[in-house]
Amino acid sequence: MNLKSDDARWGSAAKFFHWSVVILLLVQATVGLVMVQLPKRPSVIAWFSFHKSLGLTILLLALLRLAWRAFDRHPLPPPGMPRWQALGAKAGHVLLYGLLFAVPLTGWLFDSASSLRPLFWWDLIKMPSLTGGANADLKPIAQTLHLWLFLALAAVAAGHAAVALVHHFFQRDDVLRRMLPGRRRLSTPNQESSP
Ligand code: HEM
Ligand code: HEM
């Protein structure tokens, strides 16, 4: 198992960060969209707390992922990929990283501005307030931003997944294969660099 990425494929650490965040985001989005529709009863608080803790976990994973990325390599674009496409992919990834931070941070900002009850990460760590107390002006802004940035993340991620599928099924290159779990045979093994 290669922890680090090389010129041809992503390492297991990058794959772990990528796919764990995808799965957690799906759970998180579902919980978020459902919990706001539930009747306001005390039992709903548990869902809100779960959503907040999971959201902070996603934020932590995004931070760890970026830190790891700084030491890791990045596989080369597939042979023959036009420069504009490589640049477009990079811009899309920068946007995804930005939204991966912005969505949980605006959720945290909304929670701080509401100042309903202390924010705990899985009942383990008390998180600081980002506003230093209730802030009635900021609260609706953070709430709206949290929803709209989430919608932007969903749209960009859907486009990103569609592009990955086009690479796989139409261009028949290794872009998706080299990000999938396991060590799959690549169609351009001569690109493989020695470990
Ligand atoms: C990547 C992480 C996150 C995603 C994808 C996400 C997604 C969502 C979604 C889809 C909603 C429903 C929005 C609506 O219909 O108005 C929501 C609501 C909410 N989120 Fe998040 N969220 C994330 C992180 C967080 C974090 C870290 C916190 C707080 C620490 C948080 C606090 C809230 C709260 C309090 C609501 C309810 C808003 C309301 O009452 O209108 N979220 N979230
Ligand atoms: C919420 C969903 C997703 C997010 C936030 C996300 C985010 C990202 C990010 C930030 C990168 C760049 C990695 C880096 O340069 O460090 C990446 C790469 C990649 N993602 Fe996703 N992704 C998501 C869903 C998907 C899905 C569903 C697929 C497959 C259908 C996919 C396929 C890929 C592939 C193949 C790469 C590598 C591209 C390359 O080698 O240049 N992603 N993703």
Side-chain angles (χ1 to χ4, degrees):
M1 193 168 69
N2 284 18
L3 212 57
K4 295 198 82 171
S5 309
D6 58 33
D7 283 350
R9 54 171 96 228
W10 294 93
S12 38
K15 288 179 185 177
F16 166 78
F17 283 127
H18 182 270
W19 294 110
S20 58
V21 165
V22 172
I23 293 166
L24 294 183
L25 273 177
L26 287 173
V27 175
Q28 176 72 346
T30 311
V31 171
L33 291 170
V34 171
M35 74 186 191
V36 292
Q37 305 297 330
L38 296 173
K40 297 270 174 282
R41 292 206 194 105
S43 57
V44 175
I45 294 175
W47 285 107
F48 275 70
S49 303
F50 176 83
H51 179 83
K52 292 173 196 176
S53 290
L54 188 59
L56 293 171
T57 308
I58 294 172
L59 181 60
L60 178 67
L61 278 171
L63 268 173
L64 291 173
R65 183 174 176 182
L66 262 197
W68 171 258
R69 196 181 192 284
F71 297 100
D72 199 17
R73 296 174 68 137
H74 193 295
L76 297 171
M81 183 192 257
R83 209 176 122 71
W84 67 266
Q85 258 185 37
L87 282 175
K90 190 166 265 183
H93 294 163
V94 170
L95 194 58
L96 280 169
Y97 274 120
L99 290 166
L100 221 43
F101 284 98
V103 174
L105 281 174
T106 48
W108 188 353
L109 195 64
F110 171 64
D111 182 75
S112 301
S114 312
S115 199
L116 284 175
R117 60 191 83 85
L119 175 62
F120 277 93
W121 185 62
W122 302 119
D123 283 337
L124 288 174
I125 299 173
K126 187 167 182 237
M127 303 299 292
S129 162
L130 296 181
T131 52
N135 187 325
D137 296 333
L138 205 56
K139 192 179 149 183
I141 299 172
Q143 188 179 23
T144 308
L145 277 177
H146 189 53
L147 173 63
W148 281 97
L149 288 170
F150 160 73
L151 294 174
L153 173 62
V156 178
H160 161 80
V163 171
L165 294 176
V166 167
H167 272 283
H168 190 71
F169 291 109
F170 295 98
Q171 292 173 321
R172 294 179 185 279
D173 58 25
D174 291 322
V175 165
L176 178 59
R177 216 172 282 127
R178 68 189 188 178
M179 181 49 111
L180 290 177
R183 201 168 168 83
R184 282 149 212 275
R185 188 185 292 275
L186 300 182
S187 58
T188 49
N190 54 331
Q191 254 200 60
E192 201 107 44
S193 62
S194 51

